[in-house]
Amino acid sequence: MENYMLAVYDVSNPCNYRCNYCRNDWSTESNIKHSELKDIKKIIDKIVERGFKTISYTGGEFFLIPFWKDILMYASEKGLSNQVITNASLIEEKDIEFLERHLKRISVSFHSADKKQYNKIMGITDSGLFNKVLKNLKLIGESCMDLGIFFSPLWENYMSFFQTIKILKDKGIQITDVNLNRILPVGKAEGFLKKPLGYFEHALLIQQLVQINNELGINAYGEAYPLCFLNNVIENEEIIEKVNRSCIIGRKALALDSNGNIKLCPCAEKRVGASILDTAEVLDKNKCIEEFTEGRWRSEYCKNCSYWENCLGGCHASRGEMFSDDSLILDDEVVFKEGINNEFFDLLIDLYRPFLGNSFKKVPTAYTIFSKHKYKHPIGIIAIKNTKTNANFIEISLIPQLRGGYYSFIVLRKLFLLHPELKKIGWTSHKANIPSMKVLKKLRGGFFEKTVTNKNRIEAEGFFKVDGQAVYSMQKALDKQIELSAPMYNGWLEGYKTRTEELEKLTTYLEEYNEGN
Ligand code: SF4
Ligand code: SF4
């Protein structure tokens, strides 16, 4: 146990908030009843005995504990350094002096600078709390304690990460650092996070993280993101090094639940089958801790990865289960080869008609896409049509075997790196290609509503800028087109499901390709 420095301790579970992503089940008695001071002291004694230097108190809401001052005083007397993770709604101005004497750092969960959205995410109705939190952030920032902001991205706030931190800075709040913490689908949060944020959304978050560092001059970190993902989103290696914070749980830190049971991750449910109250021999022999610290759970792809030491596989619980691969691992790369084989193109056209057009067959810039690690056969095509204006139209088609994968994300990243001149990509909606429109939405593009006046069909056209964002009215127009296109798209989907012959032909082509290469 001598390597462990930090104990992340769910000291007591009750909370005055009801965050919509929270893992705690508020119908469970242990979550609404405070731990007792005598039990907390026993756990603190063991934390000291096992050689930890710092406690980070989580929960529950720390400042809801009636005797929180006793806890901090006790741990300080024992020589421990204290840190608290809090929603900061219960701190009073008169407490600051005491806190300065007993705390090194306060990390505040703060996910929106918009009061209405804040209340919704945090599950509260008391309209005074938001302003009180802002006031407390200011007080903490001005004190000698470090102020960390924990931002957890959700569907409703992931696009306003930068803006949230900027607003705090503009209000004169002195932030020491910002942590971007992914929410794990565990406990009660599992239902809420049925559809977690994906590659495109996290790429946007990382771009905002870099912006916070560069434009606001605040140190901002991405907590346990896989380096293979960061490498795809950030080009500058120095910046990657700066924003990357690999997970120290299981190496330098251990997490404890409110009863002292050891968890490998503060956010995941899994216990290791041992308690901090057990003897040192029992803890040293614990198979689960051993397996984790020695990295035996390392996935096949991570095993051969040269980034392992700095990455440690990203988050070990991002799918909710411990010992699982990070949900953002990019375990493949794509290679573009110039030109498209006509037979392959025709097979895709047959399968995906009317989305894929013959007109793209003759364009000057066209590539066949290959996977670097997983498939021998081609996995798709890209054709770029130059229009007379400075916008380009692109046709991208991937084989259906890649369903649900992340290839559209890495293909687009690669395309924009390879063709920096592609500043503006045009789209139309007349074919009701909803999957493409959804990608356009993820790329923060949008539609102009009234530029196409053909009255016989639903139509709009728009674009996305590689380094920009569509205005709000264009994003709204895109949403409207997605809605209007649904019946036509569903009709196509029905037809597509019956194209077994076309699918078989494509599969045979790919199999024969594998045999011949
Ligand atoms: S996430 Fe934290 S602040 Fe929010 S309800 Fe759960 S314990 Fe309370
Ligand atoms: S160690 Fe695993 S998660 Fe990290 S960069 Fe390598 S493959 Fe990706």
Side-chain angles (χ1 to χ4, degrees), residues 126-237:
D126 181 345
S127 59
L129 285 178
F130 178 75
N131 289 337
K132 188 167 176 206
V133 170
L134 288 182
K135 188 178 155 216
N136 283 337
L137 289 176
K138 192 126 204 281
L139 289 171
I140 300 165
E142 282 161 4
S143 75
C144 62
M145 294 175 283
D146 288 345
L147 169 63
I149 298 292
F150 277 14
F151 182 92
S152 295
L154 300 156
W155 284 103
E156 55 264 57
N157 69 351
Y158 80 94
M159 277 171 67
S160 50
F161 177 31
F162 173 79
Q163 204 50 29
T164 302
I165 305 303
K166 184 173 182 308
I167 290 173
L168 295 184
K169 191 180 176 193
D170 290 347
K171 285 184 185 298
I173 293 166
Q174 295 166 38
I175 300 167
T176 312
D177 51 40
V178 173
N179 260 277
L180 175 58
N181 289 299
R182 282 185 278 168
I183 295 174
L184 309 187
V186 292
K188 279 297 254 187
E190 199 177 336
F192 178 73
L193 286 168
K194 272 211 174 86
K195 193 175 174 292
L197 300 179
Y199 295 96
F200 285 97
E201 290 79 26
H202 280 288
L204 196 59
L205 281 157
I206 295 298
Q207 279 157 9
Q208 295 175 79
L209 188 80
V210 173
Q211 227 185 327
I212 292 169
N213 276 285
N214 292 348
E215 290 174 31
L216 303 183
I218 299 173
N219 291 328
Y221 306 100
E223 203 71 34
Y225 273 86
L227 272 176
C228 45
F229 178 73
L230 292 183
N231 285 340
N232 244 283
V233 183
I234 307 174
E235 279 160 50
N236 184 322
E237 277 183 26

Side-chain angles (χ1 to χ4, degrees), residues 15 17-19 21-22 24 26 59-61 87:
C15 187
Y17 276 23
R18 289 291 180 268
C19 299
Y21 59 82
C22 182
N24 289 341
W26 302 113
E61 171 50 41
N87 58 41

